[in-house]
Amino acid sequence: MPPASAPSLIGSHRSVVVPVGGKPGRRLAAFLGPGFLVAVGYMDPGNWATDIAGGSAFGYTLLSVVLLSNLMAIVLQALSARLGIAAGLDLAQACRAQYSRSVTLGLWALAEVAIIACDLAEVLGTAIALKLLFDLPLVWGVLVTALDVFLILALQRYGFRKIEAFIVALLLIIAGCFAFELFHARPDVGGVVAGLLPTPGILSDPTKLYLAIGILGATVMPHNLYLHSSIVQTRAIEADDAAKAEAVRLATFDSTLALGLAFFINAAILILAAAVFHASGQTGVADIDEAYRLLAPTMGVGAASIVFGIALLASGQNSTVTGTLAGQIVMEGFLDIRLPVWLRRLVTRLLAIVPAVLVVGAAGDSGATRLLVLSQVVLSLQLPFAVVPLVAFTGRSTVMGRFAGPIWLRALAWIIAATIIGLNITLLWGMF
């Protein structure tokens, strides 16, 4: 089924050359990249608080929830890549092609709200990191994030591979920071292994269940499903079915590998909180800034807090780049409207900065934490409106042709979708 209009991210579409023939490793290398942009959304500042709270309160017990969340994400992102490669449509374009105009506009509005909520988490995460590292007041840190617009413009001038390289570099910084933290924290290896296995106590203890739902609910970000289905189309592949089948396999490997790194980082945050705070009896640590203040004195390592802050700053910057791309894809895919990148980015960032400045100015640091939590609630509310169309489209031969998912994959995807939606509803019910 051909796209109804020009592809999104037109300047980057099919811009990455895939070598024909030669060693298989060269073709695989050409496909590595989009998965790492997607992985950023699974470790953004909005996820940190739930991992810290889970580790400090219950030790390694909720590691199994982090693992389960990651496995669900792997399946959904594989479907997203399959849609983009096989159908030649990103998720927003597929919605516009399959649904009525009124439904399309409704889905676009919800997606835009989700993009703004995601951007809000990035703004607050970056501002908190600037405050912790440089003692910059939160309000000023929020305002400084407006300069991120110029970072995006600079990166896009040099091609899509440069954007991917920038993202991977920041991911490696984050991973290196947490490897340093874990080396000095010396977690209980036996406890970590045991934590990867789910226990009945998670379901029977309301407090554990609430945090587990929070971890699951904050993991799958709706904008990632739009993002991935578009950026896999940056690879210039042949039009035949054999080339598409290979591209689906390699793109799935790329995203699975990248989400493996995301699992390490999310698990590392929880393990660090368990090894440092829970083990020392500090079971009530739940805020990012509180964790920052307590890390160095509790671990006895002066650099521990600084390294933690650097990882948080890198996480916020990474999420900024991918959030911008997702916003561009959503607008172009749903409405077929193309705005200059700087204008699209500036509007989105201002819609995030204004409420952040107002809340932080009125309520101080505690207001920032509450606003960060609210942004995750908004994302949770929007999630079904991205997951359900994705699972539906990738199971239809009218959209996917011979690449429609087999029965087992469709059944698994619907189970995952129902689980995520049910857990999000439960989380929201508990919050309200």
Side-chain angles (χ1 to χ4, degrees), residues 210 425-432:
Y210 183 75
I425 291 172
T426 305
L427 176 63
L428 293 169
W429 180 264
M431 284 184 171
F432 289 120

Side-chain angles (χ1 to χ4, degrees), residues 256-277:
T256 303
L257 177 67
L259 288 173
L261 177 61
F263 168 70
F264 164 76
I265 291 172
N266 277 326
I269 298 171
L270 190 144
I271 292 169
L272 180 66
V276 176
F277 302 134

Side-chain angles (χ1 to χ4, degrees), residues 81-401:
R82 179 185 286 254
L83 175 67
I85 293 169
L89 297 166
D90 62 55
L91 181 56
Q93 288 176 327
C95 288
R96 182 158 58 89
Q98 294 291 314
Y99 295 140
S100 66
R101 180 66 173 170
S102 58
V103 172
T104 298
L105 289 175
L107 291 174
W108 166 73
L110 289 168
E112 289 289 0
V113 170
I115 295 290
I116 293 167
C118 182
D119 206 47
L120 183 58
E122 295 151 14
V123 164
L124 292 171
T126 301
I128 291 171
L130 292 173
K131 175 180 177 290
L132 298 177
L133 290 171
F134 306 109
D135 202 25
L136 188 69
L138 271 180
V139 171
W140 286 105
V142 168
L143 294 174
V144 165
T145 61
L147 299 176
D148 289 344
V149 176
F150 300 104
L151 171 65
I152 307 302
L153 292 174
L155 285 173
Q156 289 196 326
R157 286 182 59 192
Y158 295 104
F160 203 78
R161 285 299 255 181
K162 295 297 188 296
I163 295 177
E164 292 173 348
F166 176 77
I167 291 293
V168 171
L170 287 181
L171 287 176
L172 292 176
I173 289 173
I174 298 169
C177 287
F178 280 107
F180 171 88
E181 301 280 17
L182 292 181
F183 175 79
H184 289 283
R186 303 190 185 281
D188 175 16
V189 176
V192 170
V193 173
L196 292 171
L197 302 175
T199 59
I202 295 175
L203 298 176
S204 60
D205 184 329
T207 309
K208 283 183 184 177
L209 180 61
Y210 183 75
L211 270 175
I213 292 172
I215 292 171
L216 276 168
T219 296
V220 181
M221 296 292 180
H223 73 277
N224 267 340
L225 304 178
Y226 296 106
L227 175 69
H228 201 188
S229 58
S230 176
I231 60 177
V232 290
Q233 298 180 55
T234 57
R235 273 51 186 174
I237 64 170
E238 297 86 353
D240 59 279
D241 284 354
K244 288 182 178 180
E246 182 193 38
V248 168
R249 288 196 304 272
L250 296 179
T252 301
F253 176 83
D254 168 49
S255 62
T256 303
L257 177 67
L259 288 173
L261 177 61
F263 168 70
F264 164 76
I265 291 172
N266 277 326
I269 298 171
L270 190 144
I271 292 169
L272 180 66
V276 176
F277 302 134
H278 185 79
S280 62
Q282 301 176 81
T283 58
V285 179
D287 295 335
I288 294 173
D289 55 348
E290 185 180 10
Y292 174 89
R293 289 194 305 271
L294 293 174
L295 268 177
T298 305
M299 291 176 64
V301 179
S305 292
I306 300 298
V307 170
F308 181 84
I310 291 171
L312 178 61
L313 183 61
S315 175
Q317 289 305 297
N318 247 352
S319 300
T320 287
V321 176
T322 57
T324 297
L325 293 174
Q328 189 176 343
I329 290 161
V330 163
M331 177 168 283
E332 293 177 358
F334 276 116
L335 305 182
D336 199 20
I337 293 176
R338 284 159 173 75
L339 296 178
V341 176
W342 67 268
L343 179 59
R344 165 73 215 192
R345 180 59 189 159
L346 188 60
V347 170
T348 304
R349 181 48 53 108
L350 286 176
L351 288 172
I353 285 177
V354 171
V357 169
L358 292 175
V359 171
V360 171
D365 294 5
S366 61
T369 300
R370 290 195 297 271
L371 196 57
L372 192 60
V373 172
L374 178 61
S375 71
Q376 301 308 296
V377 173
V378 172
L379 286 168
S380 297
L381 283 169
Q382 205 279 331
L383 188 59
F385 301 98
V387 172
V388 170
L390 173 68
V391 176
F393 295 154
T394 52
R396 292 180 188 172
S397 58
T398 53
V399 177
M400 302 292 293

Side-chain angles (χ1 to χ4, degrees), residues 14-37:
R14 297 180 60 84
S15 63
V16 178
V17 176
V18 177
V20 178
K23 297 180 179 179
R26 291 184 62 214
R27 290 180 68 82
L28 172 60
F31 279 92
L32 295 178
F36 290 88
L37 269 70

Side-chain angles (χ1 to χ4, degrees), residues 408-427:
W408 69 266
L409 181 58
R410 279 179 276 168
L412 178 62
W414 279 118
I415 290 170
I416 290 172
T419 301
I420 291 173
I421 293 167
L423 290 172
N424 274 280
I425 291 172
T426 305
L427 176 63

